[in-house]
Amino acid sequence: MSSEKQKIIQEFLRFPSNRTLFEEFKATNSEELKLEIDSKFKKHYQNYRIISYLIKVLHYESKHFDRKMRAYKNRNQLNLTSNLDLSPIYLEKSFSSDSNGFSKGIVDHISSNNLFDCLSKLTDRQKEILSLVYVRQMTDKEIAQYLGITQQAVSKTRRNVIKNIRKEITHD
């Protein structure tokens, strides 16, 4: 008998009610006790399988989450060597609209390396338009008013960027 099967049986017999039931069955060899032990063991084994499955799911999901977080941290490393000019206007623009702590940039929400590479090649204006559309869920009209450009320019930029990203991803 394999060691895993032995562990399951030992765990089942560790409960005093199951052990006494098993001892009674050994003494009497009763068919009713056999059926009762069988039904209790089936429940025990079912619980064992469910718990094993949940442990495996948690293990692999935690590995996946860790991999995503490492990729995010590698992409967004803090660089303090450059001399930053943080004017009050810049600070007001960057902190005024998002008080909930979530990032406004679309690049921060990407977990695919191919898509991240494609987005890193875009201009700042293109990234900003995609972020406003997909992260902040603004309409083309709202984006046009926010950026001070026409709605058609927003729509055209968004369409062209998506078309180019699709083309680049499908050719890889």
Side-chain angles (χ1 to χ4, degrees), residues 18-35:
N18 295 340
R19 173 149 321 271
T20 56
L21 198 59
F22 180 69
E23 295 296 330
E24 286 179 34
F25 171 72
K26 280 178 31 180
T28 63
N29 228 2
S30 167
E31 190 65 31
E32 293 172 5
L33 290 176
K34 180 181 177 184
L35 293 174

Side-chain angles (χ1 to χ4, degrees), residues 48-63:
Y48 171 81
R49 292 197 50 186
I50 290 170
I51 290 171
S52 296
Y53 172 75
L54 291 175
I55 288 171
K56 288 176 186 174
V57 167
L58 286 172
H59 174 76
Y60 288 113
E61 285 301 314
S62 66
K63 281 182 135 181

Side-chain angles (χ1 to χ4, degrees), residues 104-106 119 122-140 142-144 146-162:
K104 294 188 297 186
I106 193 165
L119 290 177
L122 298 177
T123 66
D124 289 338
R125 176 57 68 108
Q126 292 171 331
K127 288 179 193 175
E128 185 177 20
I129 289 174
L130 288 180
S131 296
L132 293 173
V133 171
Y134 295 108
V135 176
R136 298 183 71 202
Q137 299 177 348
M138 294 173 71
T139 63
D140 288 351
E142 293 170 336
I143 296 170
Y146 179 75
L147 297 177
I149 58 176
T150 64
Q151 182 178 350
Q152 291 81 6
V154 172
S155 177
K156 183 178 178 183
T157 302
R158 182 176 44 80
R159 257 194 340 265
N160 287 337
V161 167
I162 292 172

Side-chain angles (χ1 to χ4, degrees), residues 25-166:
F25 171 72
K26 280 178 31 180
T28 63
N29 228 2
S30 167
E31 190 65 31
E32 293 172 5
L33 290 176
K34 180 181 177 184
L35 293 174
E36 188 176 347
I37 291 173
D38 190 44
S39 69
K40 283 189 174 190
F41 186 76
K42 284 180 182 178
K43 288 179 185 177
H44 174 75
Y45 186 67
Q46 184 179 20
N47 287 339
Y48 171 81
R49 292 197 50 186
I50 290 170
I51 290 171
S52 296
Y53 172 75
L54 291 175
I55 288 171
K56 288 176 186 174
V57 167
L58 286 172
H59 174 76
Y60 288 113
E61 285 301 314
S62 66
K63 281 182 135 181
H64 177 69
F65 178 76
D66 186 47
R67 198 175 316 121
K68 282 177 61 175
M69 290 307 295
R70 265 190 267 124
Y72 174 79
K73 286 178 183 177
N74 286 338
R75 275 191 235 135
N76 300 309
Q77 291 181 352
L78 183 61
N79 186 4
L80 297 177
T81 58
S82 63
N83 193 5
L84 297 176
D85 178 29
L86 298 178
S87 65
I89 295 172
Y90 173 78
L91 291 173
E92 179 182 330
K93 182 178 179 185
S94 63
F95 292 112
S96 63
S97 60
D98 271 349
S99 61
N100 58 6
F102 291 109
S103 172
K104 294 188 297 186
I106 193 165
V107 177
D108 297 334
H109 298 276
I110 304 299
S111 60
S112 167
N113 287 332
N114 290 339
L115 188 55
F116 179 78
D117 292 339
C118 291
L119 290 177
S120 62
K121 296 175 187 174
L122 298 177
T123 66
D124 289 338
R125 176 57 68 108
Q126 292 171 331
K127 288 179 193 175
E128 185 177 20
I129 289 174
L130 288 180
S131 296
L132 293 173
V133 171
Y134 295 108
V135 176
R136 298 183 71 202
Q137 299 177 348
M138 294 173 71
T139 63
D140 288 351
K141 186 176 182 180
E142 293 170 336
I143 296 170
Q145 289 174 346
Y146 179 75
L147 297 177
I149 58 176
T150 64
Q151 182 178 350
Q152 291 81 6
V154 172
S155 177
K156 183 178 178 183
T157 302
R158 182 176 44 80
R159 257 194 340 265
N160 287 337
V161 167
I162 292 172
K163 183 176 76 174
N164 291 338
I165 289 173
R166 274 193 189 130

